[in-house]
Amino acid sequence: GDAQYAAGLLLKINLKLGGENAYVITPDSIGRDKGGISLMMAAPTMVVGLDVHHPAPGSQGASYAAVVASLDQKCVKFRTI
């Protein structure tokens, strides 16, 4: 209801103001092995994601594609094209 809407709105506002809503904790920062995300953070790495939205079957609407790429080491800031 209203609380869920308000929470979603505040998360979006936080991101627009440059905040971080969530980020990955590296295994070595919590005392585990240094695989996975730590390897990615050892050198400049870009994480890229993409998605395609298709209209309902039989619809004349267009499909839309989006691509995002990370801009920071924590992978919380993205640029879309």
Side-chain angles (χ1 to χ4, degrees), residues 15 18-24 26 37 40-48 68-79:
L15 289 175
E20 300 174 352
N21 291 338
Y23 55 90
V24 176
T26 60
I37 194 79
M40 183 185 81
M41 295 178 86
T45 304
M46 179 184 288
V47 176
V48 178
V68 297
S70 63
L71 298 173
D72 67 329
Q73 191 175 29
K74 292 182 184 176
C75 298
V76 296
K77 306 228 184 288
F78 284 83
R79 181 76 61 209

Side-chain angles (χ1 to χ4, degrees), residues 1-26:
D2 290 336
Q4 186 176 4
Y5 175 81
L9 182 62
L10 291 172
L11 288 171
K12 290 177 177 89
I13 291 170
N14 184 49
L15 289 175
K16 291 288 184 184
L17 295 174
E20 300 174 352
N21 291 338
Y23 55 90
V24 176
I25 297 174
T26 60

Side-chain angles (χ1 to χ4, degrees), residues 21-64:
N21 291 338
Y23 55 90
V24 176
I25 297 174
T26 60
D28 55 317
S29 69
I30 54 175
R32 295 192 191 147
D33 66 88
K34 297 190 186 238
I37 194 79
S38 294
L39 292 174
M40 183 185 81
M41 295 178 86
T45 304
M46 179 184 288
V47 176
V48 178
L50 58 107
D51 191 21
V52 178
H53 169 77
H54 298 288
S59 171
Q60 296 298 318
S63 294
Y64 297 96

